[in-house]
Amino acid sequence: MILCGLAASCATTTVMAQATGNRSSYFLEGSVYRHELNPAFQGERNYVGMPALGNFSVGAQGTAGLGDFLYVKDNGDLMTFMHPDVSAKTFLNDLPRRTKLGINLNENILSTGFFAWGGFNTFGLSVKSDTRFSSPDDLFKFMKSGVDSPEGTHYKVNDLSILSTNYAELAFGHSRALTDQLTVGAKVKFLVGLAKATVKIDQLDIKATPESWVITPNGAEAYLSAKGLITPTKGETGNYAESDYVRDAYGNPTSQLKPGAENLLSYDDIDFDDNNIGPTGFGMAFDFGATYKWNDDWTFSASLLDLGFIHWNNTVKATMSNSFEFDGFHEIPVEDTDGNPNSIDNQVDSYLDDLEGLSKFTKEGEGLKRNTALAATLHLGAEYTLPVYDRLKFGGLWTTRFQGRHTWTEARVSANVSPLTWFEASLNYALSSFGSSTGLMLNFHPRGFNFFLAADVPMGKYAKKYAIPTNRFNANFNMGINFTFGPKHKPVYRCVEARSEERRVGKECRSRWSPYH
């Protein structure tokens, strides 16, 4: 949680969160936006998305449940894990070895798809983002336990990372059938960087004794990219904390500043110049995909998304390299200054203030430039059509997102049914790095109109009253309103493989939607 507030402030120029798409839609042929999962997929009809509401999705993931950090009091109010009523044993026993948390959001501003030039073409303007946090459990052990023996306690917090990437995307895609069996597609994306925050700490060596807490950082760097971002130092603002002054023999702060205190970032004064906010970088990325219909029953597909980079301007660099003393985390009182029960907001503010003292970042430069790669995503899919009822299909989808320490994988199986020409649904189950979830998507696509609604809900235990997941979770919500036009593109009426003469005569062979009709 170190520098979470700093990373969040860098992302305020846009919505919080690069989404990986609604994977429940992968095998639904009437789904308008499944080309975002695989550019080889073609639409059922031409379409135009409703501005800002054509495709909206938001999701959250975690290897630890929200119930591991928020607890319910006897009176029903919430309290954080730092509250004295929560024992260290209760809190620490439920934590995973590494806590990963993520928020993702995707909003299509403008989108359209149409058949022309021998294939299916797409155009989209969207805002995307991805925010990730990764930390070992030693950070939370330190926060909660502090000095747990008279001789002192030694902690090592290894490989702590925070990423927040926010950008706008202008994408052009084309898909075409090369043969009756093989369809390929690709997209080119022009990217406009809005904000980027990267915080990486290789190690925090912490020696906590009753007299002092000494923090020795190693490999600690922060890069913040955003046009209009104001990151003053304490020397520029004069906003010093008590811990920035040298102490006398009795432990009291003097008027003398510690060496380097004037170059420390002043977190309370980080702000944006409203008259100077705008793009802060440009880049390019590509998507590639293919589908192969092996026979009447089996179809295989694969895609590789977001192969690209963004060149960022207006970058501030900060580092931590010197050892420093830390005042420690203060026990959160049960009551606030007015004698009322301490609210959850006050509890969170209290330990975020303490975390600022643990992140002594020194400003090293501003106006810098840097290049960062996007997080690429791999999809591998297999679809089986039930021979006795070809409106029912079963799918298996493997997803891997490559993002360094924040890499994750998911395996998803689904049952997909289209009982009516204008309605289809998918019921699926997923097992991923963030636990298990069940998903449902309903897609209404009569002539002239499309509306879809999908949700992934984490499976497992929930805290009562607030319905907070107490273990790993992977949740997603997706909805959209679109308008379709033009004829419905018919499948090719040629069998890839016919098992019998009866199957060939008098029946339409199952096949992919094709622009040729």
Side-chain angles (χ1 to χ4, degrees):
M1 301 272 298
I2 296 175
L3 277 184
C4 268
L6 187 57
S9 68
C10 187
T12 55
T13 58
T14 183
V15 292
M16 273 296 292
Q18 182 175 0
T20 55
N22 171 24
R23 292 181 293 281
S24 292
S25 69
Y26 193 88
F27 298 106
L28 297 184
E29 292 186 342
S31 175
V32 169
Y33 289 98
R34 68 184 193 133
H35 62 79
E36 294 193 348
L37 299 171
N38 187 328
F41 288 151
Q42 300 181 354
E44 185 181 59
R45 288 187 173 92
N46 305 329
Y47 78 90
V48 174
M50 177 175 284
L53 289 178
N55 184 27
F56 172 81
S57 67
V58 60
Q61 308 83 33
T63 57
L66 297 177
D68 290 325
F69 300 97
L70 298 177
Y71 294 79
V72 182
K73 300 179 183 179
D74 293 337
N75 64 359
D77 293 336
L78 288 175
M79 57 184 173
T80 69
F81 67 95
M82 293 295 289
H83 199 280
D85 288 351
V86 179
S87 70
K89 182 178 180 181
T90 298
F91 169 61
L92 297 174
N93 283 348
D94 295 333
L95 278 184
R97 293 284 296 174
R98 176 164 288 276
T99 295
K100 295 183 179 181
L101 302 173
I103 303 174
N104 52 273
L105 186 145
N106 174 29
E107 184 170 12
N108 287 63
I109 308 301
L110 298 171
S111 183
T112 186
F114 58 93
F115 286 95
W117 308 311
F120 186 66
N121 309 278
T122 58
F123 163 81
L125 174 63
S126 58
V127 176
K128 296 188 176 183
S129 175
D130 186 54
T131 298
R132 301 280 157 177
F133 166 79
S134 175
S135 171
D137 59 355
D138 295 278
L139 173 63
F140 302 103
K141 289 179 181 178
F142 169 57
M143 293 175 64
K144 184 64 178 175
S145 300
V147 184
D148 56 9
S149 70
E151 296 79 19
T153 309
H154 189 195
Y155 299 93
K156 284 191 176 181
V157 178
N158 295 314
D159 197 4
L160 190 148
S161 175
I162 301 172
L163 295 176
S164 181
T165 306
N166 306 264
Y167 62 93
E169 174 186 286
L170 182 63
F172 299 90
H174 179 77
S175 169
R176 66 167 55 213
L178 298 183
T179 69
D180 292 346
Q181 295 172 272
L182 178 64
T183 302
V184 298
K187 284 187 179 183
V188 59
K189 301 176 176 181
F190 300 97
L191 312 177
V192 178
L194 300 176
K196 173 78 174 181
T198 303
V199 180
K200 179 185 72 70
I201 301 176
D202 292 339
Q203 185 181 86
L204 288 178
D205 188 276
I206 304 171
K207 294 181 180 180
T209 68
E211 291 77 28
S212 65
W213 296 16
V214 179
I215 313 295
T216 302
N218 180 40
E221 294 181 333
Y223 294 90
L224 310 173
S225 304
K227 188 174 183 181
L229 179 66
I230 301 172
T231 55
T233 63
K234 292 188 175 183
E236 294 170 336
T237 65
N239 191 5
Y240 293 101
E242 187 176 288
S243 60
D244 296 324
Y245 293 91
V246 176
R247 296 180 182 272
D248 59 22
Y250 301 99
N252 299 315
T254 66
S255 59
Q256 180 183 353
L257 289 170
K258 293 179 179 179
E262 66 278 1
N263 293 323
L264 294 175
L265 286 175
S266 182
Y267 301 130
D268 292 340
D269 299 296
I270 291 178
D271 201 356
F272 282 93
D273 180 358
D274 295 338
N275 297 319
N276 195 32
I277 292 177
T280 192
F282 298 92
M284 179 178 288
F286 297 90
D287 294 350
F288 301 98
T291 68
Y292 182 78
K293 188 170 182 61
W294 186 36
N295 56 33
D296 285 346
D297 299 328
W298 286 97
T299 301
F300 300 95
S301 59
S303 65
L304 189 57
L305 313 178
D306 293 323
L307 293 173
F309 70 97
I310 298 179
H311 176 77
W312 299 94
N313 303 310
N314 310 110
T315 299
V316 175
K317 179 182 179 181
T319 62
M320 284 199 302
S321 55
N322 299 318
S323 298
F324 59 91
E325 289 191 2
F326 176 53
D327 288 341
F329 292 95
H330 302 91
E331 187 176 83
I332 298 175
V334 178
E335 297 181 343
D336 60 24
T337 54
D338 297 326
N340 298 317
N342 214 335
S343 69
I344 184 68
D345 291 340
N346 290 338
Q347 294 177 52
V348 172
D349 290 343
S350 178
Y351 75 76
L352 285 178
D353 289 341
D354 289 337
L355 280 169
E356 286 187 9
L358 187 59
S359 51
K360 299 282 188 179
F361 272 85
T362 299
K363 188 175 181 179
E364 298 288 346
E366 58 185 342
L368 307 177
K369 304 177 187 297
R370 65 191 297 248
N371 295 320
T372 63
L374 296 186
T377 302
L378 173 68
H379 291 305
L380 299 174
E383 181 183 52
Y384 175 73
T385 302
L386 197 65
V388 297
Y389 183 61
D390 60 8
R391 292 182 178 273
L392 178 60
K393 301 180 180 182
F394 298 94
L397 179 63
W398 177 271
T399 302
T400 299
R401 185 175 179 84
F402 303 96
Q403 203 174 12
R405 168 57 71 182
H406 305 278
T407 295
W408 57 264
T409 59
E410 178 189 86
R412 183 179 294 252
V413 293
S414 63
N416 312 283
V417 62
S418 53
L420 303 171
T421 58
W422 53 268
F423 172 74
E424 57 187 351
S426 176
L427 179 63
N428 49 79
Y429 170 81
L431 184 63
S432 74
S433 305
F434 303 106
S436 60
S437 62
T438 182
L440 175 65
M441 178 172 178
L442 305 177
N443 185 41
F444 302 88
H445 53 112
R447 180 183 294 273
F449 181 73
N450 169 249
F451 171 74
F452 63 87
L453 188 67
D456 291 330
V457 180
M459 301 181 68
K461 297 180 179 179
Y462 288 79
K464 295 180 179 179
K465 184 178 179 179
Y466 292 97
I468 298 173
T470 58
N471 51 12
R472 295 185 297 173
F473 65 95
N474 185 6
N476 183 71
F477 173 78
N478 182 218
M479 62 85 64
I481 300 173
N482 300 273
F483 304 99
T484 59
F485 60 95
K488 186 174 183 180
H489 285 257
K490 305 296 184 181
V492 175
Y493 295 147
R494 282 175 289 183
C495 291
V496 175
E497 177 184 322
R499 296 178 180 172
S500 66
E501 184 68 19
E502 290 77 14
R503 232 178 127 174
R504 186 183 298 111
V505 177
K507 294 183 179 180
E508 296 176 354
C509 297
R510 293 185 299 275
S511 180
R512 285 189 40 76
W513 295 112
S514 169
Y516 308 107
H517 57 90

